[in-house]
């Protein structure tokens, strides 16, 4: 069908953006915040709360209360993404309708650029942006970029140019009003989700509309935040069969073209060559004042350790605060680590710590995160590649090694060499103050959107984390305790999570949760349990105990180290001597047997996590980094 190009101003078009929500509050928060920050008076936000947990619904209601151009639909029971987005479309009256996943983030200019794309040609019916998590419009996440710098670079390179793609992904699915009027809503046969957007594209193409990707438009998408793996595979398999039976003949040429001659191949290939290690000067800024603060965190590896998760979390908050935060790491990252929660940046991998020091780009601040990374950080600073140097000290690392060993000496020496330090507890600050310099306490931040009490029934279960490769985790002692409990207290169910242990090592009947690769997965596991055991020889902070308390679990924790910054004996936890197995067993049994004590400690733990805000941690870290460069 022929349509004339329109000269309508892109600022006139009214936009409705529909966000179906089912839990995942940490990502919902950033999605809604980004939309509210970058919308104008012509953008109407429609949020459909699809039967989320009560605490999620409360946050959404409070966040949107009193705002103009906002509609909130609250559904008592989860009916699935497709039904929720159709509910939103029924309420929509805008010239452009965007179906937006709740685990996305948009950036400055998004709505005006989308208007301009639709205004450029009246045959364009559906528009998709690029993203690091999509189907046909998926791009790589170039090393050293964060989501904001990647969005800016993509806009600089691609502008408003479009390419016909035939099939748009549903994470940010923008539709012209005339298409909705003619084609209708998503087909409920694909409920609760998957392949419904491909079906919609086929219907639009059949009606004569174009389905395009804008080469300069980027939306960050985390991906797969609502469906579990098992449900996701089931829905995808079933819905693909429905789709191919209905559209196979029409869809096949588009699919073949995508596989053999992807219309976005040149853009994807170009983006795959970007690397902040070699093209740091490509991004343009209007003035030196508008250039964001740049900081480089150096890590010796990237695996499933609490300290590494802490660095990722802090860097995410820095990115959201407008800091150009980058990570240098030896080797490649375990992909699952970057999926533990949202990751708003892409690490830069190097062959060695020496390689980092020799070839890293200039930054405002370089941050060491482990004693081994302090030496390349110093080299970077001394070479003038960084204006300032800092040290994020998470534990007293000389104690990890035998006294008098080379490793203990090297670890201790770093506290003399780097005088500007951050730590998480007064226990660690007292140790570091002996070396002079200045140590700033910035309390650890907990993702309280994830680690929260679901207020649901629990199993009569004790859980503990295992990491046999780390001697201070005291796994042999914990295992003896678990086996004794299995023999003498079979009424207490036992669960173990972590890595490096063999299922055959566990007591008979124990639940092996294995390596839980997402924060939400850890929270779901904790919400099944009543008691957590952390019998580490000492803890610099002890993230598992704080996570447990936030989830309504009463912990039995080591009395040694910085853990007492939040854990108080006989108030919100029971503290034990990690060398006393009988004492651990007694404390665990006491919590299961003394209902009054258990309820008292659990009640006292409520609200504790509010004092460990990851947003405060991020804001204070950003302020600290800025203070280093004056």
């Amino acid at each position: 069908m022929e349509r004339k190009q329109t000269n309508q101003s892109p600022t006139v078009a009214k936009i409705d953006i529909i966000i179906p929500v089912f839990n995942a509050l940490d990502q919902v928060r950033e999605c809604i915040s980004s939309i509210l920050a970058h919308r104008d008076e012509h953008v109407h936000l429609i949020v459909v709360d699809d039967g989320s947990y009560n605490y999620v619904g409360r946050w959404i209601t409070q966040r949107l209360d009193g705002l103009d151009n906002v509609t909130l639909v609250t559904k008592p029971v989860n009916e699935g993404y497709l039904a929720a987005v159709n509910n939103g479309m029924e309420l929509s009256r805008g010239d452009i309708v965007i179906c937006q996943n709740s685990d996305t983030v948009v950036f400055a200019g998004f709505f005006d650029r989308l208007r301009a794309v639709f205004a450029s040609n009246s045959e364009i019916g559906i528009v998709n942006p690029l993203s690091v998590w999509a189907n046909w419009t998926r791009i790589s996440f170039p090393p050293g970029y964060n989501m904001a710098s990647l969005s800016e670079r993509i806009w600089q390179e691609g502008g408003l140019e479009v390419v016909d793609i035939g099939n748009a992904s549903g994470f940010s699915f923008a539709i012209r009003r005339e298409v909705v009027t003619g084609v209708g809503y998503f087909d409920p046969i694909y409920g609760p989700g998957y392949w419904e957007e491909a079906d919609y594209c086929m219907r639009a193409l059949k009606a004569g509309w174009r389905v395009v990707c804008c080469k300069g438009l980027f939306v960050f998408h985390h991906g797969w935040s609502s469906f579990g793996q098992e449900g996701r595979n089931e829905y995808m398999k079933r819905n693909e069969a429905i789709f191919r039976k209905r559209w196979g003949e029409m869809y096949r040429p588009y699919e073949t073209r995508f596989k053999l001659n992807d219309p976005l191949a040149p853009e994807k290939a170009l983006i795959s060559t970007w690397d902040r290690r070699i093209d740091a000067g490509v991004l343009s800024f209007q003035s030196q004042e508008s250039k964001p603060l740049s900081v480089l965190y150096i890590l010796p590896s990237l695996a499933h350790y609490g300290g590494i998760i802490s660095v990722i979390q802090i860097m995410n908050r820095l990115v959201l605060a407008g800091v150009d935060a980058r990570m240098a790491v030896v080797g490649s990252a375990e992909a699952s680590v970057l999926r533990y929660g949202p990751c708003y940046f892409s690490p830069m991998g190097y062959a060695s710590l020496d390689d980092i020091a020799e070839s890293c780009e200039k930054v405002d601040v370089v941050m060491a995160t482990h004693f081994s990374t302090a030496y390349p950080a110093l080299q970077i600073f001394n070479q003038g590649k960084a204006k300032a140097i800092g040290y994020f000290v998470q534990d007293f690392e000389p104690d990890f090694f035998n006294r008098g060993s080379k490793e203990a000496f090297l670890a201790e020496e770093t506290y003399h060499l780097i005088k500007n330090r951050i730590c998480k507890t007064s226990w660690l600050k007292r140790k570091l103050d002996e070396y002079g310099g200045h140590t700033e306490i910035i309390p650890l931040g907990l993702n309280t959107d994830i680690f929260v009490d679901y207020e649901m029934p629990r199993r009569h279960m004790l859980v503990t984390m295992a990491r046999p490769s780390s001697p201070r985790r005291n796994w042999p002692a914990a295992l003896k305790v678990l086996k004794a409990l299995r023999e003498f207290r079979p009424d207490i169910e036992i669960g173990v999570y972590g890595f490096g242990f063999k299922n055959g090592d566990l007591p008979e009947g124990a639940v092996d949760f294995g390596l839980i690769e997402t924060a939400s997965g850890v929270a779901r596991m904790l919400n099944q349990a009543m008691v957590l055991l952390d019998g580490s020889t000492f803890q610099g902070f002890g993230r598992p105990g704080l996570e447990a308390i936030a989830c309504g679990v009463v912990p039995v924790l080591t009395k040694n180290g910085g853990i007492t910054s939040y854990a108080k004996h006989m108030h919100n936890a029971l503290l034990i001597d990690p060398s006393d197995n009988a004492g651990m067993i007694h404390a665990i049994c006491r919590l299961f047997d003394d209902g009054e004590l258990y309820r008292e400690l659990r009640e006292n733990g409520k609200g504790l996590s509010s004092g460990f805000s990851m947003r405060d941690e991020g804001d204070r870290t950003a302020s600290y980094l800025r203070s280093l460069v004056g």
Side-chain angles (χ1 to χ4, degrees):
M1 99 187 120
E2 292 188 8
R3 294 184 179 84
K4 295 180 180 180
Q5 292 200 8
T6 175
N7 294 320
Q8 182 183 20
S9 168
T11 62
V12 171
K14 290 180 169 54
I15 296 177
D16 291 335
I17 183 164
I18 302 165
I19 306 176
V21 173
F22 180 58
N23 299 322
L25 177 56
D26 61 317
Q27 296 175 60
V28 171
R29 182 191 296 269
E30 304 309 335
C31 176
I32 291 177
S33 296
S34 71
I35 289 167
L36 294 177
H38 299 304
R39 72 171 183 161
D40 55 38
E41 67 272 19
H42 302 297
V43 176
H44 178 211
L45 173 61
I46 302 173
V47 177
V48 183
D49 179 8
D50 189 24
S52 299
Y53 291 131
N54 291 336
Y55 76 94
V56 178
R58 286 193 296 268
W59 181 87
I60 294 171
T61 300
Q62 293 169 4
R63 182 66 180 89
L64 302 182
D65 184 46
L67 296 181
D68 294 330
N69 275 346
V70 169
T71 299
L72 172 60
V73 178
T74 302
K75 302 171 70 172
V77 178
N78 176 255
E79 295 179 348
Y81 171 85
L82 194 149
V85 79
N86 276 347
N87 291 153
M89 292 180 77
E90 291 167 1
L91 298 172
S92 170
R93 300 293 182 270
D95 304 305
I96 299 168
V97 182
I98 309 172
C99 303
Q100 192 84 5
N101 283 13
S102 62
D103 57 349
T104 58
V105 177
V106 304
F107 305 94
F110 172 73
F111 294 106
D112 277 341
R113 292 167 187 173
L114 197 57
R115 289 183 178 110
V117 172
F118 277 109
S120 69
N121 190 307
S122 61
E123 294 184 356
I124 294 176
I126 296 172
V127 178
N128 224 187
L130 298 170
S131 188
V132 295
W133 194 270
N135 292 327
W136 290 14
T137 61
R138 183 171 184 169
I139 58 171
S140 59
F141 203 156
Y145 283 78
N146 61 54
M147 62 178 182
S149 59
L150 181 57
S151 176
E152 182 63 22
R153 178 80 187 275
I154 286 173
W155 171 244
Q156 290 177 14
E157 297 285 348
L160 293 175
E161 186 178 352
V162 301
V163 60
D164 288 271
I165 56 173
N167 184 24
S169 297
F171 70 94
S172 185
F173 195 86
I175 317 169
R176 188 187 292 273
R177 167 54 57 187
E178 291 87 346
V179 177
V180 178
T181 301
V183 172
Y185 306 146
F186 291 102
D187 191 333
I189 197 173
Y190 294 99
Y194 294 116
W195 287 90
E196 76 283 346
E197 72 269 43
D199 179 276
Y200 201 93
C201 287
M202 292 299 102
R203 290 153 62 193
L205 289 165
K206 187 176 181 181
W209 295 98
R210 292 174 62 190
V211 177
V212 306
C213 174
C214 176
K215 296 180 181 180
L217 199 61
F218 173 81
V219 166
F220 177 82
H221 180 214
H222 176 69
W224 292 351
S225 294
S226 294
F227 290 119
Q229 180 74 42
E230 183 177 346
R232 178 167 63 245
N233 292 340
E234 176 189 345
Y235 301 140
M236 290 183 75
K237 183 177 180 180
R238 184 198 67 189
N239 289 353
E240 181 180 2
I242 294 171
F243 173 84
R244 291 191 181 279
K245 182 177 181 180
R246 177 182 290 182
W247 296 107
E249 185 175 348
M250 180 177 173
Y251 181 69
R252 195 170 298 111
Y254 292 102
E255 185 177 36
T256 301
R257 179 187 178 216
F258 169 70
K259 290 180 178 179
L260 301 181
N261 189 24
D262 180 359
L264 284 169
E267 286 70 33
K268 293 176 180 178
L270 175 64
I271 292 170
S272 71
T273 67
W274 296 353
D275 190 325
R276 288 297 291 276
R277 290 170 291 192
I278 57 178
D279 57 13
V282 172
L283 288 171
S284 61
F285 300 95
Q286 294 181 348
S287 65
Q288 191 64 26
E289 289 73 24
S290 66
K291 185 177 181 180
L293 176 77
S294 58
V295 57
L296 177 69
Y297 281 81
I298 305 178
L299 279 74
S301 65
L302 204 51
H304 280 275
Y305 297 111
I308 290 171
I309 290 169
S310 289
V311 175
I312 292 173
Q313 179 176 283
I314 291 168
M315 288 185 61
N316 277 341
R317 300 312 306 177
L318 293 176
V319 170
L320 290 168
V323 175
D324 182 7
R326 311 170 204 172
M327 175 187 287
V329 61
V330 176
S332 59
E334 290 183 25
S336 61
V337 179
L338 302 178
R339 298 288 297 171
Y340 185 78
C343 189
Y344 299 144
F345 61 91
S346 180
M348 298 176 288
Y350 290 83
S352 65
L353 290 171
D354 288 339
D355 186 28
I356 294 174
E358 292 171 5
S359 56
C360 78
E361 74 283 11
K362 288 187 175 182
V363 290
D364 293 318
V365 184
V366 60
M367 291 291 293
T369 61
H370 180 266
F371 85 88
S372 65
T373 68
Y375 294 99
L378 281 162
Q379 190 175 342
I380 290 167
F381 176 66
N382 292 334
Q383 291 173 346
K385 292 183 179 180
K387 298 176 185 177
I389 183 172
Y391 196 171
F392 177 25
V393 183
Q394 301 193 63
D395 220 324
F396 192 70
E397 291 173 346
D399 284 352
F400 291 4
F401 310 102
N402 294 327
R403 186 167 298 179
S405 67
K406 177 183 176 181
E407 292 82 3
F409 169 79
L410 290 173
E412 189 170 18
E413 189 65 16
T414 61
Y415 304 146
H416 291 291
L417 294 172
I418 303 179
K419 299 297 186 180
N420 293 312
R421 302 178 289 256
I422 295 173
C423 73
K424 298 299 176 185
T425 66
S426 56
W427 169 81
L428 187 51
K429 175 176 167 56
R430 285 193 298 270
K431 285 180 168 288
L432 296 173
D433 283 346
E434 296 178 10
Y435 300 89
H438 174 71
T439 301
E440 181 96 359
I441 296 179
I442 300 179
L444 180 140
L446 185 69
N447 193 331
T448 53
D449 291 339
I450 293 177
F451 293 100
V452 64
D453 185 353
Y454 295 169
E455 301 173 3
M456 298 175 67
R458 295 173 181 268
R459 296 158 74 169
H460 200 69
M461 176 183 278
L462 163 76
V463 294
T464 189
M465 186 179 77
R467 193 197 300 163
S469 61
S470 177
R472 67 189 179 96
R473 294 300 181 200
N474 206 17
W475 173 239
L479 188 55
K480 289 179 181 178
V481 168
L482 298 182
K483 289 182 176 179
L485 287 170
R486 170 55 61 221
E487 182 176 357
F488 298 109
R489 289 298 303 267
D491 59 304
I492 299 175
E493 193 175 5
I494 293 170
V496 180
Y497 68 107
F499 60 93
F501 63 92
K502 298 178 181 178
N503 183 273
D505 295 338
L506 302 181
E508 183 179 355
V511 179
D512 179 3
F513 289 105
L515 174 61
I516 304 177
E517 295 186 339
T518 65
S520 57
V522 175
R524 286 194 295 270
M525 180 273 300
L526 288 172
N527 268 275
Q528 297 181 52
M530 291 179 62
V531 178
L532 173 126
L533 169 66
D534 182 353
S536 300
T537 56
F538 76 94
Q539 279 280 20
F541 180 87
R543 181 182 285 274
L546 184 61
E547 292 173 346
I549 293 173
C551 290
V553 176
V554 179
V556 174
L557 306 171
T558 179
K559 66 179 182 179
N560 299 330
I563 205 163
T564 54
S565 63
Y566 68 84
K568 309 300 178 186
H569 184 58
M570 291 297 292
H571 177 72
N572 56 22
L574 294 183
L575 302 185
I576 48 87
D577 179 349
S579 65
D580 181 4
N581 289 1
M584 282 193 260
I585 294 171
H586 174 73
I588 292 166
C589 293
R590 186 178 180 187
L591 289 175
F592 281 103
D593 295 339
D594 189 339
E596 184 177 347
L597 174 65
Y598 180 85
R599 287 188 292 272
E600 179 183 348
L601 270 55
R602 190 172 187 270
E603 184 66 27
N604 290 341
K606 292 181 178 178
L608 173 69
S609 59
S610 63
F612 296 89
S613 163
M614 75 176 182
R615 288 160 193 83
D616 289 345
E617 179 186 39
D619 291 343
R620 290 183 61 180
T621 302
S623 297
Y624 175 82
L625 295 172
R626 291 189 174 101
S627 73
L628 293 182
V629 296

